[in-house]
């Protein structure tokens, strides 16, 4: 699990698309070097090339700069915060940037979210229906842990999840997911849980579940 501290993104940068058709304030929001730092709630501190720092509140669409506060314009600072959020350089309100524990891509997670931190493609939740890529069997997720497959020992065999025969070829640092076979989950009061590497399981989409789907 690796959270990305806001201090790591404090270097001023320029973000420039084709500016020919943009109004002046929009062009300056893209081209001027600014540093954007998340603050409390929906506020962001924006430091400009001239070392002036303004407080932007995107929920209120306000900025402490004279252009917005006095003239009522949608200033370059407001625009820059929107650009940085859209470009996934800074997190939207209530979120924080993190590295996905499964695939390593940058994602947003809830500000108070504990591990594991997973992107939308890798995220599984308790109750999700998944398919074992090796056997095609369908299972119900009972827990997503923050323990790597090479650190989780299967009591029955005294070997790790990573070393188990059917799990060969999956990353040893995959997070361990606990799941019960769908037939057992439906018929048994206390279905047996099995441990899998995260990437061995594929979420079954609703359309596939309703229509029977293919393996």
């Amino acid at each position: 699990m690796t959270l990305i501290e806001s201090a790591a993104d404090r270097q001023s940068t320029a973000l420039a698309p084709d500016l020919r058709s943009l109004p002046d304030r929009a062009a300056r929001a893209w081209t001027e070097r600014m540093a954007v730092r998340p603050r409390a709630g929906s506020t962001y501190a924006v430091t400009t090339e001239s070392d002036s720092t303004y407080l932007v509140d995107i929920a209120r669409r306000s900025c402490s700069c004279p252009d917005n506060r006095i003239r009522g314009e949608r200033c370059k600072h407001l625009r820059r915060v929107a650009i940085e959020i859209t470009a996934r350089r800074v997190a939207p309100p209530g979120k924080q940037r993190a590295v996905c524990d499964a695939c390593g891509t940058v994602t947003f997670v809830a500000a108070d979210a504990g591990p594991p931190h997973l992107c939308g493609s890798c995220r599984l939740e308790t109750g999700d229906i998944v398919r074992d890529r090796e056997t095609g069997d369908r299972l119900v997720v009972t827990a997503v842990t923050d323990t790597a497959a090479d650190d989780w020992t299967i009591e029955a065999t005294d070997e790790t999840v990573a070393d188990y025969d059917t799990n060969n070829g999956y990353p040893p640092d995959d997070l361990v997911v606990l799941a019960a076979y769908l037939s057992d989950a439906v018929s048994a009061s206390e279905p047996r849980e099995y441990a899998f590497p995260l990437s061995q399981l594929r979420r079954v989409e609703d359309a596939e579940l309703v229509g029977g789907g293919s393996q």
Side-chain angles (χ1 to χ4, degrees), residues 41-44 56-62 77-78 81-82 85 91-93:
S42 58
T43 61
Y44 296 79
V56 167
D57 188 330
I58 61 169
R60 296 183 177 182
R61 299 182 180 180
S62 65
H77 316 108
L78 271 165
V81 172
I85 290 175

Side-chain angles (χ1 to χ4, degrees), residues 63-73:
C63 178
S64 61
C65 75
D67 199 30
N68 178 264
R69 183 169 50 85
I70 297 174
R71 290 184 284 274
E73 297 287 350

Side-chain angles (χ1 to χ4, degrees), residues 31 46 51 64 89 96 107 118 124 143 150 159 164 168 174 188 190 193 195:
T31 58
V46 180
D51 277 339
S64 61
R89 287 175 48 82
Q96 62 182 332
T107 187
L118 300 172
L124 293 176
D150 57 0
E159 58 188 330
Y164 195 71
N168 287 337
D174 249 11
E190 295 185 9
E193 292 180 322

